[in-house]
Amino acid sequence: MPHDFARFATEPVTLAIVGCGQRGRGYAAYALQEPTLCKVVAIAEPRPKTRKIMTETYSIDQTLVFETYEDLLKASADTLQTIGKRLADAVVIAVQDHLHMEVALAFAAQGYHILCEKPMATTVEACVQMEAAVKKAGVIFGMGHVLRYSPYNKAMTEVIRSGKLGQLINVVHIEPVGHWHFAHSYVRGNWARESESSFSLMTKSCHDIDIICHYLYPGGPTRVSSFGSLQHYRKASKPAEAGDAKRCLDCAYERSCPYSAKKVYLDPVTQGHTGWPSNVLVDGLPDIENITNALKTGPYGRTLLFTPSPLTEGFGRS
């Protein structure tokens, strides 16, 4: 079905958000800032409180609110068959990394334009399949490599490509993840195990790889290497003062610990800061009660110095 691009000049692009976590909400927020350019009309999100908040925030009709992307896709297929129209012009894919390929293939087949959060996929083979599906469908596919579009990086790109400062010979680049951020995402969080996600160079530093390649375009890298090991988050590194504590809220060493879950998640909330990273711990409102409960029961409240657990076993191994 041909896409009516001329319509987008006068009407907002309609969006379906698949995955209403931090990244899904982040992309959707643009519709509130620029309502004449895009509008969120459908969502797929399994968590009930998060789903309710998104529905109310974007005034989404209840018939377009789904628990799974499969349900959204089926409803869209029904409307496509009956009235020749999809539920939305484009879909934002903001589910877990290992699901990107299956969601992208499904929506591309229905003719949806796609914005996919980084990384594109967790394997080269998946990326190749996604590229083939997008080309076959003839749809627009965008990656969430947002660094390209910041004023700072746009200025950097212009200077580098212009040659004003001479020829670029090499790049020294450090990804300033931060100790607590790394612990949040890659030890306690959803990217803790390579077998369930991908290696950290891909899951975190793909932004950096992309912007460097963007600087160098039309040139590109000839070789990429990465190395690492499970060195720091080991039982042998656990301070004696921590004793047998399994959770930060029960740990005598907590006040001295740079990885304290109380410091990272709970203390900011007590001071009124309810954004990231605290807001990703709970379904719904990140208040003191909910965050405290999450630290008592969920993975983000575990001690990192250093109790062996499924969260740290296999970390950094390829």
Side-chain angles (χ1 to χ4, degrees):
M1 180 180 296
H3 301 291
D4 184 9
F5 292 108
R7 177 175 63 82
F8 298 154
T10 56
E11 298 179 21
V13 177
T14 54
L15 302 176
I17 309 295
V18 177
C20 299
Q22 183 213 1
R23 298 302 171 88
R25 294 194 301 269
Y27 287 121
Y30 186 71
L32 299 179
Q33 299 169 20
E34 300 289 349
T36 61
L37 299 181
C38 64
K39 180 180 181 181
V40 176
V41 298
I43 61 170
E45 167 57 48
R47 295 169 297 177
K49 294 179 182 177
T50 299
R51 191 169 60 242
K52 182 175 184 293
I53 291 172
M54 284 289 289
T55 301
E56 294 174 350
T57 300
Y58 294 92
S59 302
I60 301 171
D61 190 288
Q62 284 292 340
T63 62
L64 299 178
V65 177
F66 307 92
E67 291 189 27
T68 68
Y69 85 85
E70 292 96 339
D71 292 337
L72 192 160
L73 199 69
K74 183 180 182 302
S76 185
D78 292 342
T79 61
L80 194 60
Q81 184 175 10
T82 55
I83 63 176
K85 185 179 180 181
R86 294 175 297 277
L87 295 182
D89 299 312
V91 60
V92 174
I93 299 176
V95 293
Q96 284 296 303
D97 302 345
H98 67 279
L99 296 172
H100 286 182
M101 184 189 76
E102 67 178 76
V103 178
L105 296 186
F107 281 93
Q110 276 199 17
Y112 278 85
H113 302 301
I114 297 170
L115 172 60
C116 183
E117 173 54 4
K118 64 87 183 170
M120 181 174 174
T122 56
T123 66
V124 173
E125 293 77 14
C127 291
V128 171
Q129 289 188 54
M130 290 167 70
E131 180 191 23
V134 167
K135 285 184 175 179
K136 180 179 179 181
V139 297
I140 297 172
F141 181 87
M143 275 300 305
H145 290 307
V146 296
L147 291 185
R148 294 187 181 197
Y149 309 105
S150 69
Y152 171 85
N153 281 304
K154 289 172 72 174
M156 284 276 290
T157 303
E158 181 181 351
V159 170
I160 291 170
R161 293 185 182 178
S162 71
K164 293 176 183 177
L165 299 180
Q167 182 182 0
L168 180 62
I169 301 300
N170 79 334
V171 177
V172 178
H173 181 91
I174 297 173
E175 160 66 280
V177 181
H179 70 280
W180 67 269
H181 185 174
F182 193 91
H184 165 77
S185 295
Y186 304 99
V187 184
R188 285 173 167 139
N190 294 321
W191 298 269
R193 293 179 64 88
E194 182 177 330
S195 61
E196 297 173 358
S197 180
S198 190
F199 48 95
S200 58
L201 182 68
M202 174 63 73
T203 55
K204 177 57 182 172
S205 299
C206 58
H207 271 314
D208 307 82
I209 295 170
D210 177 73
I211 196 62
I212 291 172
C213 291
H214 188 60
Y215 290 158
L216 297 171
Y217 181 84
T222 57
R223 184 176 65 177
V224 176
S225 64
S226 175
F227 60 90
S229 65
L230 178 56
Q231 181 64 32
H232 190 49
Y233 302 98
R234 305 175 73 95
K235 186 177 181 180
S237 301
K238 186 175 184 179
E241 299 93 325
D244 296 326
K246 301 294 190 296
R247 293 191 173 274
C248 291
L249 294 183
D250 303 321
C251 182
Y253 186 69
E254 180 271 323
R255 288 191 178 184
S256 303
C257 181
Y259 298 98
S260 163
K262 180 177 180 295
K263 292 176 184 174
V264 175
Y265 306 112
L266 184 57
D267 288 354
V269 172
T270 63
Q271 299 169 19
H273 304 294
T274 57
W276 188 86
S278 300
N279 63 351
V280 303
L281 271 62
V282 298
D283 176 23
L285 183 66
D287 57 18
I288 294 174
E289 181 180 0
N290 288 334
I291 295 298
T292 300
N293 183 64
L295 298 188
K296 289 180 177 180
T297 61
Y300 292 96
R302 288 178 180 258
T303 59
L304 293 184
L305 296 174
F306 285 88
T307 304
S309 73
L311 291 176
T312 56
E313 292 170 4
F315 169 78
R317 298 173 188 164
S318 56

